[in-house]
C-alpha cells in the first residue's frame, strides 16, 4: 500500500468504509440483535447479538460508527460507553454458556472519555472485558476493520485470532493525541503516526495480529464472501482445540518478548 502512514490513518477513518453492521448483514444470516447491559442502558456504539455463519450459531459483536453525520452522532462516533462494553461481555458469557464461537469487529478511535462514562465505571468495564475474554472457553476471533484505538479497541480484541484489514490501524493512542502529548502540537500527527507503528504490517511483524486481510473489492459481495470463508475455516480449527485458554494466554504473553526497551 503506497502513501504515508498518516494517509493510512485517514483511510481507516473514511466514512465510506464498511462499518460493523455492514459486515454483520453481509456475512452472517438471521442476525438477532440484543440490547442493554442489564445495569444501566443500551449503547448504540456497540451492536451485538446471535446469528448464523454458514448455518452454525455464533455470537457477533461489532463497534458501529455509522456512515452519515446523523448516524455518527447517534452511534457516538463509535466511541463506546461502559454499558456498551458490559453488553458485549454479557453476550460473550452467554456465548460461552451455550458453546457459541464469538466474532468481533473492532472500529473505534477509543472508549468514550466523558464525565458520565467515567462516573459509570469506564475503566473497570474495559478491565473486566480484558480479564473475562482471556479465560473465555469458546473460540474468539476479532477483526480490526478501521481504527483500533487503545484499550477501547483491546476490550474486544483479547482473542484467539486477531486479524486486520490492510488499511486498518491499531495503536495505543491516536496520532493527534500522541503529537499533543509529545510536542504539544496536534499538527505533528503525521510524524507521530510514523513513530507509533500502527499499520497492519507493523502489527503483524510485532506478532500483534496473525493475518492481514486484503481490501480488494472492499464492500462488494466477493469481499464479504472471502471473509465469511476465512471465518468459517478458522472457527472449525479453533473449535477442535482442547487448550484454547492456555494458547490464548501464551499468545499474549509472548507479544513484545523480544522488544528492545
Amino acid at each position: 500500500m503506497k502513501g504515508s502512514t498518516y494517509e493510512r490513518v485517514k483511510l481507516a477513518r473514511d466514512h465510506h468504509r464498511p462499518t460493523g453492521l455492514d459486515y454483520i448483514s453481509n456475512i452472517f444470516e438471521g442476525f438477532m440483535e440484543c440490547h442493554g447491559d442489564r445495569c444501566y442502558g443500551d449503547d448504540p456504539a456497540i451492536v451485538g447479538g446471535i446469528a448464523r455463519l454458514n448455518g452454525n450459531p455464533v455470537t457477533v459483536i461489532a463497534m458501529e460508527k455509522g456512515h452519515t453525520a446523523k448516524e455518527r452522532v447517534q452511534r457516538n462516533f463509535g466511541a463506546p460507553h461502559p454499558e456498551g462494553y458490559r453488553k458485549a461481555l454479557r453476550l460473550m458469557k452467554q456465548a460461552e454458556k451455550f458453546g457459541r464461537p464469538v466474532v468481533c469487529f473492532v472500529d473505534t478511535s477509543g472508549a468514550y472519555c466523558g464525565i458520565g462514562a467515567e462516573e459509570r465505571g469506564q475503566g473497570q468495564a474495559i478491565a473486566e472485558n480484558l480479564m473475562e475474554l482471556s479465560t473465555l472457553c469458546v473460540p474468539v476471533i476479532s477483526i480490526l476493520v478501521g481504527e483500533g484505538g487503545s484499550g477501547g479497541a483491546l476490550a474486544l480484541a483479547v482473542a484467539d485470532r486477531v486479524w486486520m484489514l490492510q488499511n486498518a490501524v491499531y495503536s495505543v493512542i491516536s496520532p493527534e493525541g500522541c503529537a499533543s502529548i509529545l510536542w504539544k502540537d496536534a499538527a505533528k500527527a503525521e510524524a507521530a503516526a510514523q513513530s507509533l507503528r500502527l499499520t497492519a504490517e507493523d502489527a503483524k511483524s510485532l506478532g500483534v495480529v496473525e493475518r492481514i486481510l486484503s481490501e480488494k473489492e472492499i464492500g462488494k459481495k466477493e469481499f464479504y464472501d472471502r471473509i465469511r470463508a476465512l471465518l468459517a475455516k478458522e472457527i472449525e480449527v479453533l473449535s477442535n482445540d482442547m487448550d484454547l485458554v492456555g494458547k490464548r494466554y501464551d499468545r499474549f504473553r509472548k507479544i513484545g518478548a523480544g522488544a528492545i526497551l
Side-chain angles (χ1 to χ4, degrees):
M1 180 70 193
K2 296 181 180 180
S4 71
T5 302
Y6 195 55
E7 286 174 341
R8 302 281 289 275
V9 174
K10 292 177 180 178
L11 283 171
R13 295 170 173 171
D14 193 311
H15 68 277
H16 295 298
R17 287 178 73 84
T19 63
L21 283 172
D22 295 321
Y23 288 96
I24 291 174
S25 62
N26 285 283
I27 293 175
F28 303 92
E29 312 102 39
F31 176 66
M32 183 179 70
E33 186 177 356
C34 299
H35 295 274
D37 65 343
R38 294 185 176 177
C39 180
Y40 179 83
D42 188 47
D43 182 5
I46 291 184
V47 176
I50 305 166
R52 291 187 178 273
L53 179 66
N54 291 346
N56 298 311
V58 294
T59 290
V60 188
I61 301 167
M63 292 169 169
E64 175 61 30
K65 285 184 174 180
H67 290 289
T68 67
K70 182 178 180 180
E71 288 174 347
R72 292 203 160 201
V73 170
Q74 180 190 358
R75 301 286 181 179
N76 202 36
F77 298 88
H81 289 78
E83 48 270 24
Y85 291 114
R86 292 187 181 114
K87 173 171 66 175
L89 181 59
R90 178 172 72 84
L91 292 173
M92 291 172 187
K93 297 297 287 183
Q94 181 193 76
E96 181 179 49
K97 179 179 179 179
F98 293 102
R100 291 191 298 266
V102 177
V103 179
C104 299
F105 295 94
V106 178
D107 186 13
T108 183
S109 59
Y112 185 60
C113 56
I115 293 176
E118 295 299 328
E119 289 174 341
R120 298 195 300 278
Q122 184 73 286
Q124 181 178 356
I126 292 173
E128 287 179 350
N129 274 34
L130 302 179
M131 180 180 68
E132 295 290 347
L133 262 178
S134 67
T135 59
L136 211 64
C137 295
V138 291
V140 184
I141 299 177
S142 293
I143 306 178
L144 287 100
V145 298
E147 286 187 276
S150 192
L154 189 60
L156 294 188
V158 179
D160 301 295
R161 300 288 185 270
V162 182
W163 300 344
M164 282 181 76
L165 265 64
Q166 69 183 100
N167 287 317
V169 294
Y170 200 12
S171 176
V172 69
I173 192 172
S174 71
E176 295 83 2
C178 178
S180 296
I181 292 172
L182 293 183
W183 297 294
K184 312 300 181 186
D185 185 2
K188 293 187 177 180
E190 189 165 354
Q194 188 67 37
S195 301
L196 285 168
R197 300 188 67 183
L198 45 67
T199 67
E201 291 83 4
D202 288 327
K204 192 171 188 299
S205 70
L206 293 167
V208 175
V209 304
E210 284 82 21
R211 185 190 292 267
I212 299 174
L213 303 176
S214 169
E215 294 190 12
K216 182 182 179 182
E217 300 170 321
I218 188 169
K220 296 183 179 179
K221 182 179 183 299
E222 295 81 0
F223 172 75
Y224 295 115
D225 287 347
R226 178 158 42 88
I227 295 178
R228 181 190 302 113
L230 289 171
L231 282 171
K233 182 178 180 180
E234 200 64 44
I235 286 174
E236 183 178 1
V237 171
L238 292 171
S239 296
N240 292 319
D241 194 328
M242 296 295 103
D243 188 28
L244 277 179
V245 174
K247 290 180 179 177
R248 193 182 304 144
Y249 174 85
D250 292 339
R251 179 196 185 281
F252 284 90
R253 285 288 293 175
K254 70 181 181 182
I255 293 175
I260 300 175
L261 301 178

